[in-house]
Amino acid sequence: MNHGCDEYDPNSLTVEQAQALIDRIVEPVSGRERVFLRAALDRVLATDVTAPFDVPPHRNSAMDGYAVRSADLPAEGEARLAVIGGSFAGRPFAGELAAGQAVRIMTGAVVPTGADTVVMQENVQRQGDTIILAPGQRAGDNVRHPGEDMQAGEVVLEAGRRLNAADIGLLASFGIAEIDVHRRPVVAFFSTGDELKGIGSRLGEGDIYDSNRYTLHALLERLPVIIRDMGVIPDDPAAVRAAFAEAAAHADVVITSGGVSVGDADYVKQTLDALGKVDFWKIAMKPGRPLAFGRLGEAVFFGLPGNPVSVMATFILFARPALLKRAGAIPVPPLMLKARTQNRLKKRPGRKDYQRGILAQADDGTLAVDTTGLQGSHVLSSMSRANCFIALPRESGDVEAGEWVEVIPFAGLF
Ligand code: AMP
Ligand code: MG
């Protein structure tokens, strides 16, 4: 298939077009499972969660102080109220407040019947069983109302949400012990290349260690997926074919790195052509121009480029959203910010650049971004030092120091 669209290279897709096509093709896996709340972090909710009761469930105090009737607050002069008891968190005051009375109250404790206001203890003078109030208190202050946070029946978490620490706490506040989440898709991945050696073996002439498989494993560990590491596959058509067949048999998503160019030892594309349904894409981006995408049996297939920075960029931009969608998650677009570049950035029009940058707040409070220096797609240290991508539009040429650029912080992405 040819999605010709690029005025610079008629055979390449823009990043946005590729993302839209992937989103159109990838479907969530079916199947759900019930997990304990403690095992639910980062999992994807399979159903909406509605509040079974109001939170907070009762009227309670936001401060340590005294519960009073607003009618007793002095407009001028001072008021003297009799302290008739205490209301503590988990141990409410049993009686009712009458005119001229107050109850000592702690944060989170039930506001007693008859009271409608809590006066902070710092604004009260206590003499024995009497408190003295000065003017300046407002009716209703420091009282939290039932349902103020969440109301019974309200959808508080939607199906497709990836649960974070706040969500886990929220579910616990409803006494929910177990929840239904989507099954985690199985992701099989392997590296291709005769030069790749496993950690622990000796490097011969021209060999390198297979770093992509470790990068990919780490990237995948951040996602709600089951990881199947299939190792290194040599640049041999039969071996690549066997690996594809094995991966397709048990995975929901298959990811490879390397071998997607058009070199003599690049077998990923032709194997996909033979065993699956393939779109081979040139993407108008840098790093990471070649990307094989398609279907391999029931699995979604990503053939990522071999260069280590390209692997990360294409994973983050294309594979990660697809994996999340496959896992049932509602997409959450990455945060994009504007920052002022501190350096001149070299850029050729025609491809969208994802340069590596270090984002920080400048003295004037605005965001500033520094380049990490060398931007080759093999320079993995640039990814390691960076905390953001600097995304330069396809049409853009060189960017001068001081210009505003778009940055995508890495936080939360890997
Ligand atoms: P390829 O796409 O197979 O032509 O690989 C492009 C470049 O990435 C070559 O320099 C490869 O040696 C390198 N490369 C490919 N796979 C890996 C890997 N798993 N780990 C580290 N470098 C790799
Ligand atoms: Mg190779």
Side-chain angles (χ1 to χ4, degrees):
M1 199 180 347
N2 177 6
H3 308 279
C5 58
D6 187 323
E7 58 193 291
Y8 308 99
D9 176 348
N11 292 316
S12 72
L13 284 179
T14 66
V15 170
E16 294 75 18
Q17 283 170 324
Q19 285 171 330
L21 277 164
I22 290 168
D23 186 60
R24 209 175 307 151
I25 289 167
V26 173
E27 297 284 352
V29 294
S30 56
R32 55 176 66 174
E33 59 199 47
R34 180 156 275 235
V35 295
F36 287 116
L37 205 47
R38 276 196 203 282
L41 183 67
D42 284 339
R43 297 299 298 269
V44 179
L45 263 187
T47 54
D48 287 350
V49 174
T50 52
F53 50 76
D54 284 346
V55 174
H58 48 256
R59 228 168 37 130
N60 72 93
S61 178
M63 291 285 175
D64 293 339
Y66 292 86
V68 303
R69 299 162 71 106
S70 54
D72 287 339
L73 294 173
E76 51 194 43
E78 58 178 37
R80 288 173 171 265
L81 306 178
V83 179
I84 59 165
S87 181
F88 299 86
R91 279 185 289 136
F93 177 71
E96 191 172 330
L97 225 75
Q101 294 182 333
V103 162
R104 176 84 174 118
I105 193 165
M106 301 300 154
T107 305
V110 174
V111 176
T113 312
D116 62 4
T117 302
V118 171
V119 181
M120 283 170 72
Q121 63 191 25
E122 290 82 348
N123 295 335
V124 166
Q125 237 185 298
R126 178 144 186 180
Q127 289 177 354
D129 282 342
T130 302
I131 55 167
I132 302 167
L133 297 180
Q137 316 300 325
R138 280 185 322 224
D141 267 2
N142 303 318
V143 175
R144 301 168 176 159
H145 293 278
E148 194 175 281
D149 185 356
M150 293 168 287
Q151 283 181 0
E154 183 185 336
V155 173
V156 288
L157 294 172
E158 282 185 11
R161 183 179 176 86
R162 265 190 91 193
L163 297 171
N164 64 26
D167 302 336
I168 302 283
L170 200 146
L171 291 163
S173 72
F174 290 125
I176 294 172
E178 299 177 345
I179 49 158
D180 290 324
V181 294
H182 281 276
R183 168 172 84 79
R184 288 178 297 168
V186 175
V187 182
F189 68 105
F190 56 88
S191 302
T192 68
D194 284 340
E195 75 281 30
L196 304 176
K197 292 288 173 296
I199 295 176
S201 52
R202 288 210 16 195
L203 294 182
E205 170 105 7
D207 290 346
I208 56 170
Y209 287 119
D210 171 11
S211 63
N212 288 348
R213 214 150 43 81
Y214 288 83
T215 310
L216 279 170
H217 190 274
L219 287 163
L220 290 167
E221 273 195 287
R222 296 272 192 234
L223 296 173
V225 298
I226 294 170
I227 302 172
R228 297 264 185 273
D229 183 345
M230 293 176 58
V232 183
I233 308 299
D235 289 321
D236 165 66
V240 173
R241 206 181 165 100
F244 270 55
E246 191 198 324
H250 65 245
D252 299 297
V253 179
V254 177
I255 300 178
T256 65
S257 82
V260 285
S261 311
V262 286
D264 292 342
D266 293 330
Y267 297 112
V268 169
K269 178 186 180 300
Q270 70 185 54
T271 310
L272 254 159
D273 272 328
L275 299 187
K277 180 183 174 307
V278 188
D279 285 328
F280 175 63
W281 292 344
K282 277 194 278 180
I283 299 188
M285 68 179 277
K286 195 179 161 195
R289 191 210 294 252
L291 176 73
F293 171 77
R295 307 219 54 134
L296 189 58
E298 296 300 306
V300 173
F301 181 91
F302 284 93
L304 306 182
N307 275 306
V309 180
S310 307
V311 166
M312 293 196 77
T314 52
F315 183 94
I316 291 164
L317 290 164
F318 305 111
R320 184 178 181 276
L323 287 164
L324 284 168
K325 185 161 185 202
R326 200 104 173 93
I330 293 170
V332 180
L335 185 63
M336 294 196 199
L337 304 170
K338 290 277 186 199
R340 219 189 281 268
T341 175
Q342 303 297 99
N343 330 91
R344 181 165 202 274
L345 303 173
K346 285 180 71 109
K347 160 91 173 58
R348 282 225 303 270
R351 288 158 77 177
K352 184 163 180 177
D353 266 23
Y354 290 87
Q355 301 198 7
R356 274 72 69 204
I358 301 165
L359 182 66
Q361 194 168 36
D363 290 340
D364 66 359
T366 61
L367 292 175
V369 65
D370 261 299
T371 178
T372 55
L374 279 184
Q375 295 293 320
S377 59
H378 59 296
V379 183
L380 191 53
S381 62
S382 74
M383 236 9 235
S384 170
R385 281 204 310 280
N387 64 6
C388 69
F389 279 129
I390 306 171
L392 302 176
R394 198 168 54 122
E395 319 77 52
S396 162
D398 292 347
V399 179
E400 299 304 325
E403 284 187 45
W404 290 93
V405 292
E406 190 173 270
V407 297
I408 305 171
F410 289 163
L413 291 179
F414 62 88

